[in-house]
Amino acid sequence: MARMAARGSSLETNDLRKVGLKVTLPRVKILAILEEKQDLHLTAEDVYKALLDSGEDIGLATVYRVLTQFEAAGLVQRHNFEGGSAVFELDDGAHHDHIVCQDCGRVEEFVDTTIEDRQKTIASNHGFDITTHALIIYGSCRREDCPHREK
Amino acid sequence: MARMAARGSSLETNDLRKVGLKVTLPRVKILAILEEKQDLHLTAEDVYKALLDSGEDIGLATVYRVLTQFEAAGLVQRHNFEGGSAVFELDDGAHHDHIVCQDCGRVEEFVDTTIEDRQKTIASNHGFDITTHALIIYGSCRREDCPHREK
DNA sequence: ATGTATGCAAAACATTTGCACCTGG
DNA sequence: CCAGGTGCAAATGTTTTGCATACAT
């Protein structure tokens, strides 16, 4: 039992090496938080609080810097939903869009090839080279457990 | 020649009365700016500068307050494109999406019924009551006159 | 008149940056 | 050791708010 996980070769570590970022504690921890909450879409503040909760003493400025680097490296995606702060999620490489519940904040993801195709056609009709796109559907999830949370 | 336009019954005035907003000079002027630049998507700052340019002495805070009221009243739409500030445009009632040139900032609008329909299906599949949606395609317009402007 | 709207300045946020210190390779 | 990373505090940029004054109705 002298194989990995013994030291310095976790998933996070490899992800960081892969994109050429020095393996530092803040980067590893932030990446771990994002992996741990794959299904959520976190603000920089959310990540910061999660770090504090797990006992790490990492500054908010560093969280912003690291998230921005991760975005540049293609490790995470940044989204500008309504409501002030940007949210981040791990970029698994597969593009997807979002459907957001305005009552409880739940975010679900989807991909629709029909829509993707139409977008290419539309961009082309307008003479645009498409770089990327953002499609967000807003609505109410109507679930029993929808906490209708504050914000 | 004693009919309208003589006093207080311009398009703007009527629009404001219609939504139950008191007809004040700042509101009329801001609405006029937005009508004048139908094709553009203006930030609050843009509107503020346009007001100064036309000699009006209206505060930036008022511009924000008025735009927010207009949004609530359904007169304008607010969009959160990338890049810090929200942009506003007149809401003509007809929904449309956007295609944004990341080089020159040009914004074009489009509607695609196929996409609209797919969205309804998707929302339904996820058990959501759809409220609204935002679809933004980012790309390069590749035009000769694309000024490749700064921001 | 009188309740609401506006202007200005200050506050509130989200995000970025400068700089001295710390750390990973 | 040394370049690059981090923490903290201060700077920025955007949007909101408190309050005294001005204005529609």
Side-chain angles (χ1 to χ4, degrees):
Chain A
M1 52 173 70
R3 260 187 99 51
M4 55 166 297
R7 57 164 289 256
S9 277
S10 63
L11 267 182
E12 291 84 20
T13 301
N14 290 328
D15 287 343
L16 290 173
R17 292 232 170 82
K18 208 173 302 173
V19 298
L21 286 174
K22 196 183 278 190
V23 179
T24 65
L25 190 140
R27 287 177 185 159
V28 171
K29 293 298 178 188
I30 290 172
L31 199 45
I33 300 266
L34 291 171
E35 281 172 354
E36 187 184 323
K37 320 221 170 169
Q38 295 262 4
D39 49 321
L40 269 43
H41 293 70
L42 307 169
T43 63
E45 192 75 32
D46 289 337
V47 173
Y48 177 62
K49 285 192 197 123
L51 287 168
L52 294 189
D53 287 351
S54 51
E56 300 299 332
D57 197 11
I58 294 174
L60 180 55
T62 299
V63 173
Y64 274 104
R65 273 188 291 235
V66 169
L67 287 173
T68 301
Q69 293 161 347
F70 283 5
E71 185 191 15
L75 286 178
V76 311
Q77 283 188 243
R78 178 194 303 249
H79 303 291
N80 296 295
F81 295 166
E82 294 182 356
S85 336
V87 295
F88 299 81
E89 69 173 331
L90 231 46
D91 185 352
D92 56 4
H95 163 80
H96 59 251
D97 291 307
H98 298 90
I99 177 162
V100 181
C101 175
Q102 294 181 305
D103 291 328
C104 70
R106 173 197 305 278
V107 179
E108 298 190 11
E109 305 178 346
F110 68 89
V111 189
D112 185 272
T113 52
T114 304
I115 291 180
E116 302 289 323
D117 290 345
R118 288 298 302 155
Q119 289 186 28
K120 285 179 198 138
T121 305
I122 290 162
S124 161
N125 287 348
H126 283 256
F128 277 62
D129 284 358
I130 186 168
T131 303
T132 180
H133 71 263
L135 168 56
I136 307 158
I137 298 179
Y138 295 98
S140 309
C141 72
R142 298 282 161 205
R143 307 216 178 183
E144 287 175 21
D145 64 326
C146 176
H148 283 258
R149 81 174 179 196
E150 70 298 335
K151 191 177 187 182
Chain B
M1 51 173 69
R3 259 183 102 49
M4 54 165 297
R7 57 165 289 255
S9 277
S10 63
L11 265 183
E12 291 84 21
T13 301
N14 290 329
D15 287 343
L16 290 173
R17 293 233 169 80
K18 207 173 302 174
V19 298
L21 286 175
K22 197 182 277 190
V23 179
T24 65
L25 189 138
R27 287 177 183 157
V28 171
K29 292 300 179 188
I30 291 173
L31 199 44
I33 300 266
L34 291 171
E35 280 171 357
E36 186 184 323
K37 318 218 169 171
Q38 295 263 4
D39 50 320
L40 267 43
H41 293 71
L42 307 169
T43 62
E45 192 74 34
D46 289 337
V47 173
Y48 176 62
K49 286 195 197 118
L51 288 167
L52 295 190
D53 286 351
S54 50
E56 301 298 333
D57 197 11
I58 294 174
L60 180 56
T62 299
V63 173
Y64 274 104
R65 273 187 291 235
V66 169
L67 287 173
T68 301
Q69 294 160 346
F70 283 3
E71 185 189 16
L75 285 179
V76 311
Q77 283 187 243
R78 178 195 305 248
H79 303 292
N80 295 295
F81 294 165
E82 293 183 355
S85 337
V87 295
F88 299 82
E89 68 172 332
L90 231 47
D91 184 352
D92 56 4
H95 162 79
H96 60 250
D97 292 308
H98 298 89
I99 178 162
V100 180
C101 175
Q102 295 181 305
D103 292 327
C104 71
R106 174 198 303 277
V107 179
E108 298 190 11
E109 305 178 346
F110 67 88
V111 189
D112 184 90
T113 52
T114 304
I115 291 181
E116 302 289 323
D117 290 344
R118 288 297 302 155
Q119 289 187 26
K120 285 179 197 139
T121 304
I122 291 163
S124 162
N125 288 346
H126 283 256
F128 277 61
D129 284 358
I130 188 168
T131 304
T132 179
H133 71 263
L135 168 55
I136 307 156
I137 297 177
Y138 295 97
S140 308
C141 73
R142 297 279 162 207
R143 306 219 179 181
E144 285 174 25
D145 65 324
C146 175
H148 282 258
R149 81 173 179 196
E150 71 300 332
K151 192 177 184 180

